[in-house]
Amino acid sequence: MNKTFNDLNLNLNIIEGLKKQGITDPTLIQAESIIPALENKDIIGEAFTGSGKTLAYLLPIFHKIDTSKREMQAIVLAPTHELALQIEAQIKLLANNSSVPVTSLCIIGDVNINNQIKKLKEVKPHIIVGSTGRILDLIRKKKVTAHTIKTIVIDEADNLLDPKRAAITKDIIKTTMRDRQLMVFSASIKLETLETAKELMKDPVIIKSEDKPAMNPNIEHMLFVCDRRDKFETLRKILVAVKPEKAIIFVNDHEDIELTTVKLNYHSKDCFAMTGKISKEDRKLAIESFRNGKIKILVSSDVTARGLDVEGVTHIFHLDLPLKINEYLHRAGRTARGNAHGTSICIATVKQLNIIKKYEKDFNIKFHEKKVFGGAIEDSNYHSEQKQEKAKSKSYNNKFDKSKFHN
Ligand code: AMP
C-alpha cells in the first residue's frame, strides 16, 4: 500500500501546510527518504526530474529544526542561482502555509557581500540556501556559523561533486561538525559521484531505483532529422505546428542563443534569450515573466536552465544536442513537472543519430521520429528508410562483386 505523509511521521502542521499547496500524498522519493532523513541518516537519493526531491529533503529539515533557537541549522547547496532562489521560495511557501516559523536566506555570489553579512546577522536564518563559493567565503569570515549546522544538502550532486567543483563542496562539509547529516540528491548520480559522496558519509542510505539514471516517464521524446543548415527552419515549422504553451529551446553557444531569439521574434514568437551575459536581475525578471506566461519561450544554455522548476512547460527543444550525454536528462526534465506530461524534441543531423541511440540506451527511452508536413507533425521513418536503402545497396554491391568474381 502507498505511504501517506502521516505514515512518514511528519509533524501535523507540516502535513496541513502541504495540503494548502495541493500536496496530499508523498512521491516515491519522498516516501523512501523521509523516514531515514528524520533518523539523521546520511542519504544518497536519485530521483527523476520533477519528482519532488526538493521536498524530500526540505520536509525532514522542517520537522527537525529547533525554531526556538535563532541559530543556523541547515545548508542547502545548489549549482545555479536560479535553483537556489527556487529552493528558498519553496521554504518560504511552506513556512507560511504550515505556520512553522522556519527562517531562510538565499546566499549567492555576485551580490553585495556586506548586505548579505548584515542580513545574516539580522535574520539568523535556520536554513541557508546558496552557491558554494559565497557560502564558503562567509563561513571563513565566521558570518555563517558552521558549528551549529546539523544538516547539509547537496542538490544536483552530479554537478556539485563533479571533480572540477568537488573541492569547494568538500571544504564546506569539512568546516561543519562530524556528526552532521549529509544528504545528496540528483536526477542522475554517476558512479564517480556515488563514490565521492560515500567517502564523505557514514553508512549512507542509498535510494537509487535502477542501474540506469531514471528519466521521468511522463516525457515523450521526439526526433526530427534534417541538415545542419535547415535546423532553424525545422524548429520554426515545429513551433508553428505544435503551438507550445511554454517552451525552452536549448542552444549551446551564447551568440547562437541571441541569433535564434532575434530570428524567432522576427517571426513574432514571444522569446527571451537567457545568456550568461544578461544581469542576474534581468534573469530573475525573465524567469518570473516565463512563470506567469508573459514570455512563452526561453532560448537558453544548459547553465541558465538547470534545475528550473516552472509549471506548465509543455515542450523542450534541443536545437543543439547537449555536449554531455547526461545533460539530456536534465534538459528534458524541465518539462513534465509534478504529475504533468511533456515533450522533448531533438533536432538532429544524420551524423548525430548515434548520440540519439546513446540516449535511448542510457536512459531506456524511445525516440519517435517525426517530420513536419503541410504544417502538421507526422510520423517519419527517415533513418529507418536510410538504413534499408543502405542495406539494399550493400547487398546489390555484394552481388555485383560476386558476379565479377565468378566471371
Ligand atoms: P522537484 O522535483 O522538487 O523540483 O519538484 C517538482 C514539482 O513537484 C514542484 O513544483 C513541487 O511543488 C511538486 N511536488 C513536490 N512534491 C509533490 C507531491 N508529493 N505531490 C505533488 N506535487 C509535488
Side-chain angles (χ1 to χ4, degrees):
M1 212 178 97
N2 290 344
K3 281 187 183 142
T4 64
F5 280 118
N6 288 307
D7 296 330
L8 303 178
N9 304 332
L10 286 168
N11 283 340
L12 280 183
N13 41 4
I14 297 179
I15 299 175
E16 287 306 311
L18 287 172
K19 268 191 203 148
K20 288 190 198 158
Q21 293 170 212
I23 295 178
T24 49
D25 297 298
T27 62
L28 205 62
I29 184 74
Q30 292 162 0
E32 290 189 37
S33 58
I34 289 176
I35 291 180
L38 288 174
E39 290 167 353
N40 289 325
K41 299 242 169 69
D42 285 349
I43 290 175
I44 301 176
E46 185 182 73
F48 59 76
T49 53
S51 62
K53 67 180 161 55
T54 317
L55 286 178
Y57 61 75
L58 283 184
L59 296 179
I61 291 179
F62 257 69
H63 181 102
K64 288 190 291 180
I65 276 179
D66 182 350
T67 51
S68 68
K69 287 186 183 157
R70 283 189 71 221
E71 203 173 76
M72 301 174 198
Q73 296 173 45
I75 293 178
V76 180
L77 300 172
T80 66
H81 295 177
E82 279 76 21
L83 183 57
L85 289 167
Q86 231 168 246
I87 297 166
E88 215 236 342
Q90 287 218 33
I91 297 172
K92 291 239 177 330
L93 183 72
L94 187 62
N96 211 7
N97 286 329
S98 63
S99 307
V100 179
V102 165
T103 54
S104 60
L105 194 65
C106 192
I107 294 285
I108 51 184
D110 295 349
V111 172
N112 185 306
I113 194 164
N114 293 325
N115 287 347
Q116 286 176 337
I117 293 174
K118 212 168 122 204
K119 276 246 170 89
L120 279 168
K121 233 182 186 170
E122 261 168 39
V123 184
K124 284 263 163 60
H126 296 122
I127 310 175
I128 293 166
V129 187
S131 47
T132 48
R134 183 56 64 90
I135 289 183
L136 183 62
D137 206 7
L138 287 163
I139 290 177
R140 290 194 169 138
K141 286 185 162 57
K142 304 217 177 320
K143 304 300 174 193
V144 169
T145 52
H147 65 279
T148 60
I149 299 297
K150 308 272 185 306
T151 302
I152 299 182
V153 178
I154 308 178
D155 200 333
E156 300 279 343
D158 64 310
N159 187 307
L160 286 180
L161 291 177
D162 180 273
K164 275 192 223 125
R165 301 180 81 173
I168 188 158
T169 310
K170 285 182 188 172
D171 281 349
I172 293 176
I173 296 168
K174 275 186 225 152
T175 62
T176 58
M177 305 294 270
R178 272 179 159 271
D179 62 350
R180 48 93 198 102
Q181 175 186 38
L182 184 58
M183 294 196 267
V184 159
F185 284 89
S186 186
S188 59
I189 297 192
K190 287 180 276 189
L191 205 62
E192 143 189 282
T193 312
L194 195 71
E195 290 312 313
T196 314
K198 277 187 189 163
E199 279 167 28
L200 299 163
M201 294 177 154
K202 327 160 267 272
D203 208 8
V205 173
I206 301 174
I207 304 163
K208 202 172 184 299
S209 44
E210 301 162 38
D211 292 344
K212 295 183 182 202
M215 177 71 80
N216 182 341
N218 291 344
I219 303 173
E220 184 186 359
H221 305 270
M222 287 186 188
L223 167 68
F224 289 77
V225 184
C226 64
D227 284 345
R228 194 177 159 68
R229 63 172 180 272
D230 295 332
K231 276 195 172 194
F232 177 80
E233 198 45 24
T234 307
L235 167 73
R236 194 191 62 75
K237 284 182 185 164
I238 304 171
L239 285 171
V240 172
V242 299
K243 297 181 190 61
E245 275 167 46
K246 258 185 213 175
I248 303 176
I249 299 169
F250 283 97
V251 175
N252 292 343
D253 180 77
H254 288 297
E255 276 171 21
D256 289 342
I257 292 177
E258 279 167 11
L259 195 66
T260 308
T261 311
V262 169
K263 284 205 268 182
L264 284 174
N265 279 335
Y266 176 75
H267 290 282
S268 59
K269 305 269 174 270
D270 302 323
C271 292
F272 188 85
M274 287 281 280
T275 70
K277 279 189 203 160
I278 58 171
S279 70
K280 292 260 141 60
E281 265 317 295
D282 284 349
R283 256 158 69 176
K284 217 171 131 184
L285 279 176
I287 290 174
E288 228 19 75
S289 306
F290 189 49
R291 245 183 244 292
N292 62 34
K294 279 188 197 148
I295 292 174
K296 279 191 178 287
I297 300 175
L298 281 186
V299 185
S300 177
S301 68
D302 291 327
V303 184
T304 45
R306 197 178 240 265
L308 203 69
D309 178 31
V310 173
E311 222 178 281
V313 175
T314 50
H315 292 78
I316 302 296
F317 291 88
H318 312 263
L319 190 60
D320 290 325
L321 299 185
L323 299 175
K324 287 187 190 161
I325 297 288
N326 233 20
E327 212 56 44
Y328 180 72
L329 181 109
H330 293 280
R331 283 182 175 191
R334 298 311 105 218
T335 185
R337 314 291 296 171
N339 293 321
H341 288 250
T343 309
S344 171
I345 298 177
C346 284
I347 303 174
T349 62
V350 174
K351 266 194 179 161
Q352 289 176 316
L353 292 178
N354 56 340
I355 305 174
I356 301 290
K357 280 245 160 60
K358 187 105 178 79
Y359 298 154
E360 290 191 322
K361 189 164 160 270
D362 283 12
F363 307 127
N364 209 8
I365 55 174
K366 180 90 195 97
F367 275 84
H368 301 287
E369 200 184 340
K370 305 275 178 185
K371 63 181 177 198
V372 189
F373 189 74
I377 305 288
E378 281 186 1
D379 287 339
S380 162
N381 43 10
Y382 179 94
H383 77 277
S384 50
E385 271 171 12
Q386 291 263 317
K387 249 192 203 163
Q388 277 174 7
E389 279 303 310
K390 260 191 197 160
K392 261 193 217 162
S393 74
K394 218 177 177 183
S395 79
Y396 173 79
N397 285 341
N398 280 347
K399 272 185 204 157
F400 183 74
D401 284 344
K402 269 181 208 153
S403 62
K404 241 179 27 180
F405 182 75
H406 286 299
N407 283 336

